Amino acid sequence: MTEDPFVVHRSLLFTVAYEMLGSSADAEDGLQESWLRWADVDRAQVRDPRAYLVRTVTRQALNRLRTLSRSREEYVGEWLPEPLLTSPDVAEDIELAENVSIAMLTVLETLGPTERAVFVLREVFEVPYGEIAEAVGKSAAAVRQIARRAREHVAARRPRVPVSRSEQQAVVERFLAALRTGRLQELLDVMAPDVVLIADGGGLAGAARAPIHGAALVASMLALPGRAVSAVWLNGAPAGRIEIDGRVAAVSLVVEDGKVTRIHAIANPRKLTRLDEPAELAR
């Protein structure tokens, strides 16, 4: 018996939904809704199951994104994407790893729902403009314009200089070592002077409700003893897992010119449910 196309392409479909929503829980809900629609389809009428399923998941994610936009505006403090534990193998696909990174997902949050869908489908998954148009309910010409604007928007906000995997890993290891010791100078040495710390506690965990700017302030907040710090792979990149007094946080870093320039710290416990089993991501 041939395996169901939904099962065959599930990792791809999850990745599409997660890229659009920044939340594995919302992505799973979108996949469940898509599966229910797929179950009612006359398969004999579907010429390209993969393309059909991507369109279906995109529509569900778009609907969900529009519904979630208001609740995210009312979110307590800074909203960051939900981190995913991934295997180092994900980093082998450099483009995929870059696009599912916490830094990129944070940039995608600044796009409107349709812009985000168009960018994800075109730039990450290389879906033809005609298929994207069908998925988002726009003309192909309109989708081309939206894609151009979205690319410019993202390019202006993403890290300026690409960093090799080895450099990223080396800087992350230095940062985590400094966290373990809690030594102020070691933290200062690994961070850029204008480093920014963005923390997400969602009102459920202690976290700064606005970004913290500058190495001195950030280091003074992070230079605390009594933490268990371990290296993990999150969203296709080396990162950190921190435990203190029974509480867990995930830390993702942006590295430029050998220094940490941005720290994303997710402490909201509702966003840390995918830190024990690697997520399967695919393009």
Side-chain angles (χ1 to χ4, degrees), residues 261-276:
T261 59
R262 189 167 291 257
I263 304 166
H264 297 112
I266 302 101
N268 183 342
R270 293 177 181 171
K271 294 186 177 184
L272 301 175
T273 60
R274 298 294 294 265
L275 294 186
D276 294 321

Side-chain angles (χ1 to χ4, degrees), residues 216-254:
L217 278 176
V218 172
S220 66
M221 290 189 65
L222 297 179
L224 298 172
R227 290 174 170 167
V229 180
S230 56
V232 293
W233 284 80
L234 298 178
N235 295 62
R241 174 181 175 138
I242 302 170
E243 297 184 38
I244 183 168
D245 297 332
R247 300 188 304 273
V248 177
V251 177
S252 175
L253 307 175
V254 174

Side-chain angles (χ1 to χ4, degrees), residues 140-195:
V143 164
R144 288 179 183 274
Q145 290 298 315
I146 293 170
R148 179 184 58 78
R149 291 197 303 270
R151 279 195 300 271
E152 292 173 352
H153 180 97
V154 171
R157 291 162 177 80
R158 74 199 318 173
R160 295 183 297 274
V161 182
V163 177
S164 69
R165 175 175 167 178
S166 59
E167 181 183 353
Q168 174 87 13
Q169 193 159 6
V171 174
V172 169
E173 288 173 356
R174 285 180 59 207
F175 179 83
L176 296 180
L179 277 185
R180 288 188 192 97
T181 65
R183 292 173 183 162
L184 187 65
Q185 190 58 51
E186 290 181 10
L187 284 166
L188 289 170
D189 289 343
V190 76
M191 295 189 298
D194 57 351
V195 66

